[in-house]
Each structure stands twice: as C-alpha cells, then as structure tokens.
Amino acid sequence: MAKVAFLLAGGFEDSEMVNPYEAIKEAGHETVIVGLEKGIDCPGKQGTVSYTAQIGASEANAAEFDGVVIPGGGAPEALRVNEEVVRFVKELNDQGKLISGICHGPQVMISADVLKGKEATSYIGIRDDVKLAGAIYKDEEVVVGDNIVTSRTPVDEPAFIREILAKLS
C-alpha cells in the first residue's frame, strides 16, 4: 500500500481535505499530515474539522512517500512560501511520484515549478497563474497530466479521489 502526505495549514477547504483523506485511508493506504511544523493545529476554513500536523515539512522525506495531496482553500498560500514544502513537492516530482491538488492546491505546484508542459486544472481564480507556470490548462472536473492530478472545486471531489486512487494502485 502507498504512503501519502497531505500538505496542510490552517484555512484549508474542509471537504477537500476530509473526503480524499478518508477515501485514501479506507482504501488501506497510509496517510501522514505534513504541516509547516510538527504538532501545529490546522483548522479548516469552514470550522467543521481540524487536524494536527504529524510531521513538519522539514522532516518530510520524499523517498518515504508515494505521493502528496494538497487541499485547496487558503492553506496553499501559506504552504507555497515555505522552502521545505516547496523542496518536498519538487523532490516528489523529480521521483515521478503522485502530486495532486484541488482548488487552490496547484499554487504549491506553481511555487515548486512542477507544472511546465503538464495538463492541469484549478479553481478559476488561479487559472492564469497555472497557465503562466507552463501548464496546459483544461477546464475539466479532473485532469491527469503524467504524475499530476488536479481538480477545480469541491463539486469535483469524486473524480479527484477516483483518479488519485487509480494512481496509487
């Protein structure tokens, strides 16, 4: 079974964390919440859930993971400016491992410079940023571009989860 990191900071979109996290766990994969620092509390923006970072980004070793999920909301903005988060995502990409993001999640991919020449989608508000990062933008519920899986909004979660699970199996 796979070991999957969930990159998290406060302000994530609740369902974009809860639903993929639970589905991946239910499929038998190991999940690890990676935050800016170990032990910090990460509340969702809707206030329905909160998670505690199991490890900090500086402790995250890409060789030990099979992929990463980056929920959207406001959290990606805090994550993308952290050098250790960016390093982790770059290393996963260099190893050809799964990098998935929904809504604003691709902001972290932009900062990690992993979208050049890959098909991707995102929340419409960052569409131009995704294009400027070199991605081939598609306005679809889920887009798979090599090792990259992206979706637009909570409405797209079923397709997002389906493609992540397909990549992990």
Side-chain angles (χ1 to χ4, degrees), residues 31-152:
T31 55
V32 179
I33 298 169
V34 179
L36 297 173
E37 294 175 34
K38 180 180 180 174
I40 62 168
D41 191 41
C42 302
K45 81 175 196 179
Q46 306 300 332
T48 64
V49 292
S50 185
Y51 294 87
T52 301
Q54 295 169 288
I55 64 171
S58 64
E59 303 167 75
N61 179 353
E64 296 175 3
F65 288 88
D66 299 294
V68 64
V69 177
I70 311 167
E77 190 67 35
L79 292 165
R80 73 185 300 188
V81 297
N82 181 282
E83 290 178 22
E84 292 299 324
V85 168
V86 170
R87 172 203 51 84
F88 178 62
V89 173
K90 277 185 182 183
E91 289 176 0
L92 286 169
N93 188 65
D94 290 345
Q95 295 170 24
K97 295 179 178 175
L98 169 69
I99 301 171
S100 59
I102 185 168
C103 191
H104 285 78
Q107 287 179 310
V108 177
M109 298 177 199
I110 291 166
S111 294
D113 197 26
V114 300
L115 291 177
K116 281 192 180 99
K118 307 237 178 129
E119 294 181 347
T121 194
S122 67
Y123 176 69
I124 195 167
I126 64 165
R127 173 192 59 203
D128 293 342
D129 303 312
V130 170
K131 288 179 181 179
L132 289 170
I136 302 155
Y137 188 85
K138 293 187 167 189
D139 184 16
E140 297 174 5
E141 67 178 356
V142 65
V143 175
V144 179
D146 297 325
N147 61 316
I148 307 284
V149 175
T150 51
S151 282
R152 302 170 299 191

